[in-house]
Amino acid sequence: MKNILITGGAGYIGSHTAVELIHAGYGVVIADNLSNADTTCLEGVKKITGRDIPFYKADCCRKDQLLPIFREHRIDGVIHFAAFKAVGESVEKPLMYYHNNLLSLVTLLEVMVENGGGHVVFSSSATVYGQPPVLPVTEDTPRMPATSPYGNTKQICEDILADAVKAYASVKVVILRYFNPIGAHPSALIGELPRGIPNNLVPFITQTAAGVRKELHIFGSNYNTPDGTALRDYIDVVDLAAAHVSALKRMEAYDKPGLCEVFNVGTGKPLSVMELVKKFETVNHLSLKYRITGRREGDVEAVWADTSLANRVLSWKARRPLEETLANAWAWERNIRGIT
């Protein structure tokens, strides 16, 4: 059995990826410093899979905290989620983002190289495209100047990985550029659990529906889009998690050194913020109170994916319908709030 270390594995995408890896026959080890998560989702992963997962409270910026994990387990690959991820916060606290997001990757790569290398699946983002001049974006779409420090850290991390692969034959890399992950596991045992005010749209929607938030804020209504709200590509988190399994299998099947590939992971279908809000109301038979506010600094007007490369090379495709995704998101929110 191959062992995969998931950094940031106690978080939203990390916990769902742990489930998909276990279902695919991998061993899983999780490291997380719990700065933006707790162990709630780890307990959910255990209930879903019936497996005890080795967990280390570790900061990926700290070599002394990563090395024991590699000494105690044979780590064949790493899925690297450990990063700060809020666009708005990165504008307010750029140094915190550059320190954490860059140093954690460099430190992880150093430890991997010292321990024989391995496969790396890197959690990148559609933010690397900035506001693209042509839509949908392909992997060959030029990266535009980042609109936020968060986006810039993802661009720099991609460059670090490309340089590392050239220098170290023992390292293979697949970079997944996520679009907008939403939803929760169908079991309602794991899902997105933000601390404080949510930075992402769907948990803000579900918290408003649950009465935790007084109203939903929609950032901007004067974009050059059909209804004036921003256009995004929303992908079910379970579909996204499955893409990481496909990325690992791609590296395992690639028998030459020097692999560093990039894939868009989305649905390829643009949806406006307002359309998503209305769809949530329809699917879950409720009404939300919302207010239009000003645009949020760092946000782009429209971006969605061309996923044909991932469909072809990774044999992966987004499969879950939006209605199911939004129903699962609300089921998760109800579960954690004790709403029947």
Side-chain angles (χ1 to χ4, degrees):
M1 180 187 294
K2 290 184 169 63
N3 289 324
I4 306 301
L5 172 64
I6 307 178
T7 66
Y12 175 43
I13 304 172
S15 59
H16 286 80
T17 301
V19 170
E20 294 305 305
L21 286 170
I22 290 168
H23 287 338
Y26 289 90
V28 172
V29 179
I30 288 177
D32 200 303
N33 66 3
L34 302 181
S35 64
N36 195 36
D38 58 30
T39 57
T40 300
C41 282
L42 295 182
E43 294 163 6
V45 171
K46 182 178 178 179
K47 290 177 181 176
I48 294 168
T49 63
R51 291 268 292 275
D52 282 312
I53 299 174
F55 171 74
Y56 293 81
K57 186 177 180 183
D59 185 340
C60 289
C61 294
R62 295 275 304 273
K63 200 170 186 179
D64 63 318
Q65 293 185 11
L66 284 180
L67 279 169
I69 303 173
F70 282 78
R71 289 173 182 154
E72 292 171 22
H73 302 273
R74 188 198 75 249
I75 302 298
D76 300 289
V78 178
I79 300 178
H80 186 51
F81 294 114
F84 296 144
K85 62 177 185 177
V87 169
E89 183 183 55
S90 77
V91 173
E92 298 168 2
K93 301 176 181 179
L95 298 183
M96 182 177 81
Y97 270 68
Y98 285 115
H99 179 272
N100 183 73
N101 292 7
L102 302 186
L103 183 58
S104 63
L105 177 62
V106 171
T107 304
L108 175 65
L109 288 170
E110 288 175 344
V111 172
M112 289 187 69
V113 170
E114 289 176 16
N115 286 273
H119 302 149
V120 182
V121 184
F122 179 68
S123 165
S124 191
S125 167
T127 58
V128 302
Y129 295 116
Q131 181 55 70
V134 178
L135 290 166
V137 292
T138 73
E139 291 80 0
D140 294 326
T141 298
R143 298 185 317 187
M144 303 294 285
T147 59
S148 69
Y150 164 73
N152 201 27
T153 66
K154 291 302 184 183
Q155 291 184 348
I156 295 169
C157 284
E158 289 190 358
D159 294 340
I160 290 170
L161 287 162
D163 288 338
V165 166
K166 292 174 186 175
Y168 307 106
S170 61
V171 176
K172 294 178 184 177
V173 171
V174 169
I175 295 167
L176 299 181
R177 290 177 178 164
Y178 307 165
F179 281 69
N180 291 73
I182 60 172
H185 193 268
S187 66
L189 291 171
I190 55 175
E192 191 164 7
L193 191 62
R195 289 187 172 182
I197 299 173
N199 291 298
N200 297 329
L201 177 58
V202 169
F204 215 132
I205 289 174
T206 58
Q207 288 189 12
T208 303
V212 178
R213 305 287 162 195
K214 183 173 67 174
E215 61 185 6
L216 171 67
H217 294 170
I218 294 175
F219 298 108
S221 61
N222 60 349
Y223 288 108
N224 184 26
T225 61
D227 64 14
T229 63
L231 288 174
R232 294 291 184 270
D233 186 334
Y234 296 99
I235 178 171
D236 189 289
V237 66
V238 179
D239 280 336
L240 175 61
H244 296 78
V245 177
S246 297
L248 286 170
K249 292 186 180 300
R250 166 66 175 167
M251 287 183 282
E252 291 163 5
Y254 195 88
D255 59 1
K256 295 178 287 186
L259 181 71
C260 185
E261 294 182 319
V262 179
F263 299 95
N264 288 336
V265 184
T267 66
K269 300 173 184 177
L271 196 73
S272 78
V273 170
M274 189 60 73
E275 285 175 319
L276 188 72
V277 170
K278 295 300 183 185
K279 179 65 75 172
F280 180 88
E281 291 180 320
T282 300
V283 167
N284 294 300
H285 310 291
L286 46 78
S287 180
L288 296 171
K289 183 178 180 181
Y290 61 85
R291 178 166 59 93
I292 305 293
T293 65
R295 296 186 184 188
R296 184 171 57 180
E297 189 172 0
D299 281 348
V300 300
E301 179 173 274
V303 64
W304 66 92
D306 179 328
T307 62
S308 56
L309 186 66
N311 301 158
R312 177 169 51 84
V313 177
L314 298 182
S315 300
W316 170 89
K317 186 177 182 180
R319 302 184 185 281
R320 287 162 177 79
L322 180 62
E323 293 80 3
E324 179 182 315
T325 301
L326 295 176
N328 289 339
W330 180 225
W332 159 250
E333 188 72 38
R334 294 200 319 273
N335 185 35
I336 61 175
R337 305 291 172 191
I339 299 171
T340 57

